[in-house]
Amino acid sequence: MDHGDHGTTDLPPLTVTSALDPGGDPVFLAGCLVTLALYAWGVLRLRLRGDTWNPGRTAAFTLGVLSVALVTCTRLNDYGMVLFSAHMVQHMVISMVSPILMLLGAPVTLLLRALPAAPRGRRGPREIVVAFLHSRYVRLITTPLVTISLFIASLYALYFTPLFDALMGSRVGHLAMMLHFLAVGLVFFWPIMGVDPGPRRPSHLMRMLELFATMPFHAFFGIALMMASAPMVGTFDSPPASLATDAVSDQNAAGGIAWAFSEIPAVIVLVALVIQWYVSEQRRARRLDRAADRDGDRELASYNAYLSSLSSRRA
């Protein structure tokens, strides 16, 4: 399809069958295949040396990559060029669903375990990754001020300015925008999920506050689209006649999608954080119990030694 002509493109009505037809962006297709291959290599490398890897993490990461492929490597990607609602599905999935699933797969942890440690005094791939994770740049981009600002700017500074129409005017611009959505989602949820190692590890309460900080802005963005009585984005002001929808109705549907996605992923992340918090507290309680047992044993041994010394003096 010609991505430079959004209003006259003749597309059939979007159905489940047509959405699953081959199509979409070959760059994302190649990226998804390479990403899955690298993850499988890491898991295989661990198993060949006798280590284990949680199958649930593999399943979560695979679903995350497949969700990226679903919205970028199928006919949905073509409809996302002419329908605001289809585009919003792409945006919400690739920025809020895919990153959560991929991060639950702990890809950084897998990479660090799979890469061999370099000999002492040398710098190998594993050491380069560790240095990057603790670099000043990563510390900066994972601070709440930066992650929350990027997440909010991806909505307001993109859709409510001419930047969106400029990017949608070419395939390269559209590809760059999708990559931006995925990168911002990964950077935003990485410190919150707390599965992989990183430059900072805030408390569970702070992670929840970071998560809730973006929800009002996200909900208001969706409501603004739902309540609008005129097209707000030039790219989608003239949907193809074959799709039997008008620009305002499609825009209102896009707002409803954005509003709904502000709730669903937040609930998923919140449940994951509560579980992590519970497991962390259980581990902490076990460590304290073991420390108390050791202290008790030392006190008992000291008391017995004291009694023994008294007996020796009397003798």
Side-chain angles (χ1 to χ4, degrees):
M1 64 175 293
D2 182 6
H3 295 295
D5 186 5
H6 306 294
T8 60
T9 304
D10 189 18
L11 289 173
L14 182 58
T15 62
V16 173
T17 303
S18 65
L20 295 177
D21 287 341
D25 199 302
V27 175
F28 266 101
L29 178 60
C32 290
L33 293 176
V34 171
T35 301
L36 287 176
L38 291 175
Y39 194 93
W41 168 82
V43 174
L44 180 62
R45 183 175 176 84
L46 291 185
R47 291 186 176 178
L48 288 177
R49 72 185 188 199
D51 293 338
T52 59
W53 184 253
N54 190 334
R57 290 184 172 181
T58 303
F61 187 85
T62 302
L63 288 175
V65 176
L66 290 179
S67 67
V68 174
L70 177 65
V71 298
T72 60
C73 305
T74 65
R75 288 290 300 278
L76 181 63
N77 187 66
D78 294 336
Y79 285 94
M81 299 296 295
V82 294
L83 280 179
F84 203 172
S85 56
H87 171 83
M88 193 56 66
V89 170
Q90 288 183 285
H91 182 174
M92 295 298 105
V93 170
I94 204 171
S95 67
M96 301 191 71
V97 176
S98 304
I100 293 173
L101 292 172
M102 293 173 70
L103 290 171
L104 286 175
V108 177
T109 302
L110 176 63
L111 179 64
L112 293 177
R113 291 184 59 185
L115 291 175
R120 180 173 296 182
R122 296 186 180 181
R123 190 181 178 90
R126 187 178 187 277
E127 288 69 28
I128 294 175
V129 172
V130 172
F132 175 74
L133 291 176
H134 295 86
S135 65
R136 186 174 303 175
Y137 169 74
V138 174
R139 286 199 300 269
L140 174 63
I141 65 171
T142 55
T143 57
L145 180 62
V146 174
T147 58
I148 293 175
S149 299
L150 284 174
F151 202 82
I152 296 174
S154 295
L155 297 174
Y156 294 91
L158 182 63
Y159 291 98
F160 296 161
T161 67
L163 179 60
F164 182 82
D165 291 330
L167 291 174
M168 290 293 288
S170 66
R171 182 179 293 272
V172 174
H174 184 250
L175 173 64
M177 182 165 47
M178 291 292 111
L179 289 173
H180 168 78
F181 291 153
L182 179 60
V184 169
L186 289 170
V187 171
F188 176 76
F189 287 109
W190 178 21
I192 294 177
M193 301 300 295
V195 177
D196 279 323
R200 65 184 183 93
R201 186 59 59 87
S203 66
H204 290 86
L205 180 59
M206 287 301 300
R207 297 182 206 175
M208 293 181 185
L209 292 177
E210 288 182 39
L211 176 64
F212 291 138
T214 61
M215 292 179 62
F217 298 96
H218 208 287
F220 180 78
F221 171 78
I223 294 173
L225 294 179
M226 293 171 64
M227 300 297 292
S229 58
M232 302 178 67
V233 178
T235 300
F236 303 117
D237 60 0
S238 300
S242 60
L243 299 179
T245 185
D246 62 274
V248 175
S249 298
D250 183 54
Q251 180 175 268
N252 294 343
I257 293 169
W259 178 80
F261 269 90
S262 68
E263 307 291 337
I264 299 174
V267 172
I268 297 174
V269 176
L270 184 61
V271 171
L273 284 177
V274 170
I275 294 175
Q276 290 178 14
W277 198 346
Y278 174 77
V279 173
S280 176
E281 289 299 316
Q282 291 295 311
R283 291 175 179 171
R284 180 173 177 273
R286 288 194 294 268
R287 287 197 300 268
L288 293 176
D289 289 342
R290 288 195 296 268
D293 292 339
R294 288 194 299 268
D295 292 341
D297 293 340
R298 284 196 294 266
E299 291 177 0
L300 180 60
S302 177
Y303 181 69
N304 289 334
Y306 172 71
L307 294 179
S308 178
S309 65
L310 291 179
S311 300
S312 299
R313 293 173 188 172
R314 291 171 183 170

